[in-house]
Amino acid sequence: MHLQFAFFIYMKFLKHIDNYLICYILVIVAVVQLYNSQFDSLTPWKGGGFGMFSTNKTTNITAVGYKSNGDSILIKVIGSKFNVPISNTFLTSTKNYPKKENLRKLGMQIIHSYLKPTTVEIPANIDKNTLDHINKNERFYKLVYEPKYYENDDTAHAEDAIKIQSLKIRVFETDFFENELIVKKKFIKEIEINY
Amino acid sequence: MAYSVLAFLEKNNKGFESFPEELIFKFSLVLLVLDGSTGWGLDIFMRITCALMLAFDSFSKNRVLWLIISLLLLFFNSLQFYILDNHKILFVYWVLLITFYLWTDKDSNYLKSNAKILIGLVMFFAVFQKLINGFGSPGFLHGRFLFDSRFMLVTHFMIDTPYEVLANNQNSIAILKTLPNDNSFVSLTSTPFMGRVLYAFQLFGLVFEALVAFLFLFSKKNTIAKDIALLAFCIGTYFIFPVIGFSSILLILGIAQSTKKMRKFYIITFILIQFIKVPWQQIIFYLNNSL
């Protein structure tokens, strides 16, 4: 009798799974996404957990390059379909879920690229501590380098583009704080990549 | 070769059993043509295949074609899983559901009951994520309206801040994101009034979304309260947050689970929702500045 009842329940359960399989898949994907967004670095906005428009927190990836003579440079990590050797899809995916292997891959792409200098204008509404730090290290913050494709070494050198020996990628989380009306960044992790 | 492929496909055609079923399939194909995929490769295939399935009625319910569409969507979307918007993932679930329906002996109630629960689950997870990510506290909408370009013109009208200031906020944040310094921040300009109004909207949206989730998960199949709530949610939300793909898939799921009485309202809303494509903010902005 007990066995028959257990079999009945089991069959009913299987029938239920069969009828609502896709709904169960949605729940499993969403639960995995919830775990990864709460205990790892996946953004709540992506990954099938339906957390779009739930938070202003975003991950941002910064990079500092080191030339062969030891000088450090500020790098702007950008992606593009055409003139930048980092694809937008890959960069967006890495920003949404900055896993170590993807950060490493991103770092290798930057190290293998030419980096073109552009001037950077520090905004007036940045905090005083950062501004003081920037003023003290004016040489470092004067130029920001962007990865770019070049047909050959000569055209790269004509635009003062350079290559680096090693790289430090630092990952931050940016969020909006209403009380102080500020957008602030918080350090998450960093990795070093050598040529 | 072409004839044998066509003959094979024709063998797998199925006729529509009812008008509601035809409506569900055709609306789903329309959405696949308009917004089905991410990436040009699949997009071209989807546009051609689904447009032809719409044009040649007998193929609209072809189970081989729906299976191919499902497999391709699964494959290509899994390649770019972490950049996909959630509505694209919801759309894959829906296409898989249609494919399962065609390849098994399930009746049309299968689509109806699953569509209802899918809407409920999506709304439930959306509310749950908001709650655990601090959406109940002030700040989310206020922040979005200060630096998200989709809403900055509304902010400009609400608090009379010059648009250049708001655009500068965006530039400042972009530069902040380049700097490798911990605890750096940029200050934004706003008013307490703006914060209060947006927090009220934020809470109202959260409660309403929870209501839709509750009604779709726990109400009876034929109750119209859930339909009214979803229709109001789509109109109220997506004219402010213009994500046409999400509103369209929710409305198609709504059509699939609704009664005959409510179906026409879903179709009317589907038509209305297309107007979120109109750049209202820009039009008002240019009119304001040119007069």
Side-chain angles (χ1 to χ4, degrees):
Chain A
M1 187 66 187
H2 282 303
L3 203 66
Q4 239 178 354
F5 181 70
F7 182 70
F8 173 73
I9 295 290
Y10 178 66
M11 290 309 288
K12 207 159 181 178
F13 173 71
L14 283 186
K15 178 87 183 149
H16 195 264
I17 296 281
D18 179 43
N19 277 340
Y20 295 103
L21 181 65
I22 301 296
C23 294
Y24 281 108
I25 294 174
L26 182 150
V27 172
I28 292 166
V29 172
V31 169
V32 171
Q33 193 277 352
L34 271 167
Y35 178 84
N36 285 331
S37 63
Q38 293 304 310
F39 301 108
D40 203 350
S41 49
L42 173 62
T43 171
W45 286 66
K46 305 287 175 181
F50 300 98
M52 57 281 166
F53 292 103
S54 66
T55 177
N56 280 323
K57 281 179 192 162
T58 52
T59 301
N60 88 267
I61 298 171
T62 68
V64 175
Y66 298 91
K67 295 196 269 190
S68 49
N69 62 6
D71 283 355
S72 57
I73 59 162
L74 180 61
I75 296 168
K76 187 176 182 181
V77 184
I78 52 167
S80 158
K81 280 178 181 169
F82 305 111
N83 63 342
V84 176
I86 299 166
S87 91
N88 254 337
T89 310
F90 172 67
L91 183 60
T92 311
S93 176
T94 306
K95 277 181 182 172
N96 289 338
Y97 198 1
K99 288 188 271 191
K100 211 169 181 181
E101 61 267 27
N102 280 351
L103 289 173
R104 197 163 290 282
K105 194 173 161 191
L106 176 67
M108 288 312 286
Q109 288 180 350
I110 296 172
I111 284 184
H112 286 111
S113 313
Y114 267 108
L115 299 161
K116 185 194 167 192
T118 53
T119 50
V120 58
E121 200 177 315
I122 301 298
N125 54 346
I126 203 156
D127 67 288
K128 193 178 171 303
N129 284 345
T130 307
L131 202 60
D132 288 346
H133 174 79
I134 289 170
N135 289 335
K136 271 185 210 157
N137 301 279
E138 205 186 338
R139 212 169 129 234
F140 175 76
Y141 289 101
K142 200 174 153 192
L143 294 171
V144 58
Y145 289 75
E146 295 177 359
K148 194 183 168 188
Y149 269 128
Y150 284 98
E151 275 181 29
N152 52 53
D153 291 347
D154 292 338
T155 46
H157 294 145
E159 287 196 355
D160 295 328
I162 58 163
K163 283 206 167 188
I164 51 169
Q165 201 68 31
S166 63
L167 179 77
K168 194 182 273 181
I169 287 187
R170 304 189 88 197
V171 180
F172 293 86
E173 182 184 83
T174 313
D175 198 5
F176 172 68
F177 295 87
E178 199 194 33
N179 288 342
E180 301 138 283
L181 275 177
I182 57 170
V183 174
K184 190 174 182 178
K185 56 196 294 179
K186 188 177 85 183
F187 174 75
I188 304 288
K189 60 183 169 187
E190 72 176 16
I191 62 163
E192 279 187 49
I193 299 128
N194 294 306
Y195 191 67
Chain B
M1 173 72 180
Y3 283 113
S4 53
V5 170
L6 199 63
F8 171 72
L9 285 178
E10 274 177 343
K11 255 192 232 172
N12 286 285
N13 280 348
K14 278 181 153 187
F16 290 114
E17 283 163 22
S18 61
F19 174 66
E21 191 195 52
E22 186 177 350
L23 209 60
I24 294 166
F25 274 78
K26 289 196 170 165
F27 263 110
S28 303
L29 285 170
V30 167
L31 196 54
L32 278 169
V33 172
L34 296 177
D35 192 27
S37 64
T38 307
W40 61 268
L42 185 58
D43 200 32
I44 293 169
F45 171 82
M46 286 295 177
R47 278 165 190 264
I48 294 170
T49 310
C50 298
L52 288 174
M53 284 168 79
L54 273 169
F56 299 96
D57 245 10
S58 52
F59 289 89
S60 298
K61 213 182 144 185
N62 184 293
R63 57 187 202 152
V64 172
L65 290 174
W66 276 100
L67 180 65
I68 294 171
I69 290 169
S70 304
L71 293 175
L72 287 175
L73 273 178
L74 265 180
F75 177 73
F76 279 94
N77 284 352
S78 61
L79 290 181
Q80 25 193 354
F81 189 63
Y82 294 118
I83 62 165
L84 278 186
D85 288 334
N86 285 303
H87 69 265
K88 302 263 182 188
I89 298 172
L90 177 59
F91 202 51
V92 176
Y93 294 140
W94 178 238
V95 171
L96 282 173
L97 209 62
I98 289 177
T99 309
F100 274 37
Y101 170 65
L102 291 175
W103 282 85
T104 54
D105 56 350
K106 299 195 183 326
D107 59 16
S108 60
N109 204 35
Y110 174 72
L111 287 181
K112 197 172 176 167
S113 52
N114 273 281
K116 179 174 172 280
I117 295 175
L118 279 181
I119 297 172
L121 287 173
V122 166
M123 291 294 174
F124 166 75
F125 279 110
V127 171
F128 187 70
Q129 289 259 16
K130 285 184 173 77
L131 288 175
I132 59 171
N133 287 309
F135 193 88
S137 318
F140 172 76
L141 273 187
H142 198 179
R144 287 253 74 84
F145 275 68
L146 287 179
F147 50 73
D148 190 327
S149 56
R150 289 173 292 183
F151 316 117
M152 274 162 32
L153 279 170
V154 179
T155 314
H156 165 66
F157 298 132
M158 272 178 84
I159 57 172
D160 220 20
T161 304
Y163 189 74
E164 302 81 62
V165 173
L166 296 165
N168 263 336
N169 283 345
Q170 250 192 341
N171 294 336
S172 305
I173 293 168
I175 290 169
L176 179 76
K177 287 183 174 181
T178 307
L179 303 177
N181 313 57
D182 193 16
N183 288 322
S184 295
F185 63 87
V186 290
S187 308
L188 309 179
T189 312
S190 185
T191 64
F193 164 74
M194 174 96 176
R196 282 197 297 272
V197 169
L198 289 171
Y199 184 46
F201 269 114
Q202 193 175 310
L203 288 181
F204 179 74
L206 183 66
V207 171
F208 205 83
E209 207 168 23
L211 176 74
V212 178
F214 179 80
L215 287 171
F216 272 87
L217 286 175
F218 301 112
S219 70
K220 286 181 184 160
K221 269 183 198 166
N222 294 333
T223 169
I224 61 164
K226 62 174 173 25
D227 299 307
I228 294 170
L230 181 62
L231 291 170
F233 177 82
C234 285
I235 294 171
T237 306
Y238 294 110
F239 272 96
I240 301 170
F241 300 96
V243 192
I244 198 157
F246 217 125
S247 53
S248 302
I249 180 64
L250 280 178
L251 289 168
I252 288 172
L253 291 175
I255 292 171
Q257 59 77 49
S258 69
T259 56
K260 189 181 172 190
K261 201 162 87 182
M262 291 308 292
R263 201 171 296 130
K264 55 180 172 290
F265 294 108
Y266 277 104
I267 296 170
I268 292 167
T269 310
F270 187 88
I271 295 166
L272 262 181
I273 270 305
Q274 304 309 313
F275 287 89
I276 66 177
K277 285 258 182 193
V278 177
W280 299 111
Q281 296 183 42
Q282 282 88 333
I283 290 173
I284 297 168
F285 181 77
Y286 288 123
L287 284 176
N288 259 0
N289 286 302
S290 59
L291 291 175

